[in-house]
Amino acid sequence: MSERKKQLYADIAVPTVPKDTLTYGVPGEMREVLTAGMRVVVPLGRRQLMGFTVNIHDQPPDFAVKSIQQLLDNEAVITDPLMRLCQWMHQYYCCHLGDALKAALPQGMDVDSARHISLRNADDLAILRAVGKSKIKRDILRILGTGEVLSEQDLLDRMAVKSIGSQLRELQFHGIITIESVLELPSAKPRTALFVRLLPEWRGQEKIVELCSILERRAPKQVNLLTMLWQKHERGEAEILMAELLRLAKASSTQVRALEEKGIVEIVENELIRAYLPLFEERPKEFALTGEQQSVLATVLPAIDAGTSSPMLLYGVTASGKTQVYIEAIRHALSLGKSGLVLVPEISLTPQLVARFKQAFGSLVAVMHSRMSLGERYDAWRLTLKGEYRVVVGVRSAVFAPVMDPGIIVVDEEQDSSYKQSDADPRYNARDAAVMRGFFENIPVLLGSATPSVESWHNADIGKYRLLRMTQRIDQARMPDIVPVDMTEARRMRRVRGSLSMQLLDEIRQRMQQGEASIVFQNRRGFAPHLECNDCGHVENCDNCSISLTFHKDGDMLRCHYCGLTRKPPVVCPRCGATEIDRIGSGTQRIEEELQAALPEARILRMDADTTKRKGAHDLMLTAFSDGEYDILLGTQMVAKGLDFDRVTLVGIVSAEQSLFFPDFRASERTVQLLMQVSGRSGRGSAAGRVLIQASVPTHPVFTFVYNNDYDAFLAQETESRRNLSYPPFTRLVALLFSGENEEQVARAARKYYDELRAAPGFFTMHPPQPALLSRLNKRYRYHLLMRVNKRRDSDGNALRTLLQKVAEEYLRSGHSRSVTITIDVDPQNLM
DNA sequence: AGCACGCCGACT
DNA sequence: GTCGGCGTGCTC
């Protein structure tokens, strides 16, 4: 018994610190409570940082450890399967473990230390000696002389110099100032409000009447309050929001406090849940499950019962009722006491979809969405962890949602590229992460799509995924008629108005006469993507990026869609002084203008990133369109997916080629998927749908798959082409991107990596480094290396990660500038 | 990633 | 002597 307890150590993953974990001592008072998955505050150098407890052990490391400073949670916020998922991401996507873990939490839960600088009591002589002749030091002390406590940045802002770091250090060394590291609280916290309730002994009609008669003369407001409280109590509302009570009773809080002092009411602080409430509503539809839906469920439900990891690909044509399959699967999971997770692409997390899940599962549903506020997201996450939400519907990052005991994970539109995070570490694909999570949780994962990715199709083909098919539209709706419009021919015959063919305009007009609606799709916002001098051909480009500026007619502005730069369009050509500057190409703004000019009566709703910026704009627009307030819904990608309106019987695609000639190996796949998805918006009700596809070369072989509605044939051909060209799914692509403000340094870094990598064992192939397609972005030059990894020779990505680590070390050792940033993107979606 | 430290040229 | 711009090394 008397044996001293062994010292415990914890391995902590700290975001952005380039070490898997750091080892800290576990203080005695934490040894009983600390578990893996909890967040802690640890000292690192002069900073205090948030870290994740990964492992607790009693192996003393061979260096002096510091101790954990503070616990941030009293239970694990990273459940065991999520910890394993993050470990997998760390190794597969070559990112820091801490960054993967941080991605698993909503924003705003981070803590960081800030350095607070203040003046210390010191004698004049010491000050004089420390300051010497430095003007900067004298200024610092003058500012601090007011007794204020400031950060380095605050000080800097009030001075006319660029840096004060060394001066601060010397002043601190001489004991003149104090620099204290202070923890800043996380910005996300539960929101609370005051509530008022009658104490139990006063809950009775007679007692209230009696009280009121006593109070009547001297305290009429208190009588009002009591009456209000009693009425609410009678209606079953035991507690009433203080603010509301005051408003209703026209009283002030002093009067409530008075009642509290008399021991009649009680004031309590309760949490207010910030829930995301969609503004869109729709009458629920009545329907029975189709035979195909039933037979799919006959496979899915037993898999939920069995509780074994099993990925499935649900390949069902548009309008075949996939959403209802998801709902039934989750209903089943709930009936077993489990919960469910549904991932949807950013763009199709529409109010329509949310409404269907809310109808089915009511208050059990949490929505996780990037348009929600920090507080809303925090509450959704926290109450999911507490087990109060049992169904989570969310975008990419919801793959980390802490659902208690999930029974199934659904990934809708699994081919969608918004599942891939490409702008920050971890650069993960949420669809693949979902499959891995299903593996760690031992549950089935259902990947749904009308147009599966070549990768998932291949996985089904080789038996990694189980294939489930639905080939019929519900309600016997026919597939729409898909009709090419030859724009070259139409132009020759003068049957066009700007970018729109007379045929499309005629058919839209016809729908308007029949009281039906049309969707017009143009995947480009703004008015015109280029401004070009008619005389010399000069194009207005972004100053920071190698891209042309898009002309926006609202506000008469040029904008860079990559870095956000805005500038007034030039009146004369800056190169040759000519005054005729052409607006080349068409975005949604121009199409809107052309539609309106050709169809003056048309009520047009334009939906793109520019018109839906305001919170809730999306919902309101779709509600209005659904209610028949518009004839034409014109928009970018956001009208291509998930929308389901019976009124829509015509879909027009302005330019089918737009995505086809993109230099990306997925260009054909993206084009076919997009065209088929947009087509699916048409004819969902009883009326037959029609799709007009405008193209300059309508005979391009890729389009024939769309005209014939034969996605199977496309998959077969595209799979062969990928095999021949050694592209995914037959290889694993890894893109290394080198970026920095100095082009020569960037090119040299890329070259150095290339040479180092080439010397390594050949489990991959690659070409020499090249400037990226977007060769400059935000003032930074960009070069890339594309590795094609042989999946058989490095199935789990371990060889790749080891090699990249080795090369990075060698790169640093050989004295290279740190002004070049290197990012690793495994399974990139966009080769930019 | 920060942050400290050391070195060096420029200014005054 | 002071300032400011790098490169380099370290953080449990």
Side-chain angles (χ1 to χ4, degrees), chain A residues 120-331:
Chain A
R120 213 166 174 168
N121 291 325
D123 58 278
D124 293 353
L125 189 67
I127 292 179
L128 218 61
R129 202 177 316 133
V131 172
K133 290 181 182 161
S134 168
K135 186 180 178 302
I136 294 187
K137 286 179 191 164
R138 205 165 53 235
D139 281 353
I140 292 174
L141 294 186
R142 188 175 44 76
I143 295 170
L144 289 175
T146 60
E148 273 185 284
V149 180
L150 298 169
S151 72
E152 183 170 340
Q153 193 56 53
D154 290 339
L155 269 172
L156 211 50
D157 290 347
R158 300 191 194 185
M159 301 177 63
V161 290
K162 282 183 183 160
S163 92
I164 51 172
S166 49
Q167 287 80 5
L168 286 175
R169 243 173 285 137
E170 283 169 35
L171 284 172
Q172 187 190 23
F173 178 78
H174 285 101
I176 310 296
I177 59 169
T178 315
I179 302 180
E180 203 186 359
S181 185
V182 180
L183 265 196
E184 293 188 331
L185 290 169
S187 46
K189 2 180 189 323
R191 181 174 158 204
T192 58
L194 297 179
F195 286 79
V196 185
R197 68 164 176 228
L198 275 176
L199 283 169
E201 56 268 38
W202 300 100
R203 290 178 198 154
Q205 181 78 41
E206 300 99 67
K207 286 182 183 161
I208 294 290
V209 171
E210 192 188 328
L211 267 178
C212 286
S213 66
I214 300 171
L215 290 167
E216 187 85 65
R217 223 167 313 144
R218 279 186 311 132
K221 293 283 181 184
Q222 291 182 32
V223 172
N224 280 354
L225 285 167
L226 278 178
T227 323
M228 223 60 236
L229 277 168
W230 180 244
Q231 279 175 13
K232 289 279 178 186
H233 183 86
E234 290 281 74
R235 263 181 264 145
E237 287 178 57
E239 289 176 352
I240 168 163
L241 193 64
M242 173 90 111
E244 195 194 342
L245 177 67
L246 297 182
R247 193 174 49 79
L248 291 173
K250 297 187 175 59
S252 77
S253 58
T254 339
Q255 287 131 12
V256 181
R257 296 283 173 199
L259 288 174
E260 187 188 25
E261 292 209 348
K262 293 185 181 112
I264 301 167
V265 303
E266 187 178 33
I267 301 175
V268 285
E269 189 170 16
N270 283 346
E271 192 184 333
L272 277 184
I273 309 297
R274 291 156 291 193
Y276 170 79
L277 295 172
L279 303 167
F280 180 86
E281 275 182 35
E282 192 175 57
R283 255 179 299 120
K285 293 178 189 170
E286 291 296 324
F287 45 77
L289 291 175
T290 66
E292 282 189 332
Q293 286 173 325
Q294 284 171 17
S295 78
V296 164
L297 286 166
T299 306
V300 176
L301 303 191
I304 298 173
D305 293 330
T308 53
S309 142
S310 51
M312 300 178 255
L313 176 62
L314 173 57
Y315 177 12
V317 297
T318 50
S320 58
K322 291 187 290 293
T323 308
Q324 199 57 35
V325 171
Y326 307 153
I327 287 173
E328 296 307 327
I330 286 168
R331 203 191 303 286

Side-chain angles (χ1 to χ4, degrees), chain A residues 20-185:
Chain A
D20 293 1
T21 56
L22 302 171
T23 305
Y24 287 87
V26 179
E29 73 274 15
M30 287 183 198
R31 57 181 301 139
E32 303 299 326
V33 279
L34 184 70
T35 62
M38 281 186 190
R39 294 172 312 143
V40 294
V41 176
V42 290
L44 183 69
R46 311 238 285 170
R47 292 182 292 169
Q48 293 154 283
L49 294 170
M50 179 191 77
F52 294 87
T53 312
V54 173
N55 183 30
I56 299 169
H57 57 87
D58 57 10
Q59 299 303 307
D62 55 6
F63 47 78
V65 293
K66 292 185 184 174
S67 283
I68 295 174
Q69 219 162 63
Q70 187 187 324
L71 289 177
L72 284 172
D73 303 304
N74 36 32
E75 57 177 348
V77 292
I78 305 290
T79 60
D80 185 55
L82 282 176
M83 182 63 83
R84 293 171 70 191
L85 179 66
C86 291
Q87 298 267 18
W88 170 78
M89 281 193 171
H90 159 55
Q91 84 94 31
Y92 185 81
Y93 291 111
C94 304
C95 66
H96 300 151
L97 178 57
D99 286 344
L101 286 160
K102 193 178 169 187
L105 298 183
Q107 285 160 28
M109 284 183 65
D110 213 347
V111 293
D112 199 349
S113 56
R115 299 190 331 158
H116 290 189
I117 302 160
S118 56
L119 196 62
R120 213 166 174 168
N121 291 325
D123 58 278
D124 293 353
L125 189 67
I127 292 179
L128 218 61
R129 202 177 316 133
V131 172
K133 290 181 182 161
S134 168
K135 186 180 178 302
I136 294 187
K137 286 179 191 164
R138 205 165 53 235
D139 281 353
I140 292 174
L141 294 186
R142 188 175 44 76
I143 295 170
L144 289 175
T146 60
E148 273 185 284
V149 180
L150 298 169
S151 72
E152 183 170 340
Q153 193 56 53
D154 290 339
L155 269 172
L156 211 50
D157 290 347
R158 300 191 194 185
M159 301 177 63
V161 290
K162 282 183 183 160
S163 92
I164 51 172
S166 49
Q167 287 80 5
L168 286 175
R169 243 173 285 137
E170 283 169 35
L171 284 172
Q172 187 190 23
F173 178 78
H174 285 101
I176 310 296
I177 59 169
T178 315
I179 302 180
E180 203 186 359
S181 185
V182 180
L183 265 196
E184 293 188 331
L185 290 169

Side-chain angles (χ1 to χ4, degrees), chain A residues 366-427:
Chain A
V367 178
M368 295 189 182
H369 193 201
S370 58
R371 280 170 173 253
M372 287 159 60
S373 70
L374 200 100
E376 284 171 347
R377 274 188 271 177
Y378 176 58
D379 283 358
W381 174 86
R382 203 163 39 89
L383 296 181
T384 301
L385 182 66
K386 278 171 82 178
E388 295 189 18
Y389 290 129
R390 307 280 303 285
V391 179
V392 171
V393 182
V395 298
R396 180 172 67 222
S397 59
V399 73
F400 299 107
V403 280
M404 299 294 281
D405 194 13
I408 185 167
I409 303 175
V410 172
V411 184
D412 190 29
E413 306 272 13
E414 63 82 23
Q415 82 291 347
D416 196 279
S417 64
S418 76
Y419 284 126
K420 183 71 204 279
Q421 175 154 304
S422 52
D423 53 356
D425 281 357
R427 291 173 157 76

Side-chain angles (χ1 to χ4, degrees), chain A residues 147 337 383 563 822:
Chain A
L383 296 181
C563 75
I822 300 153

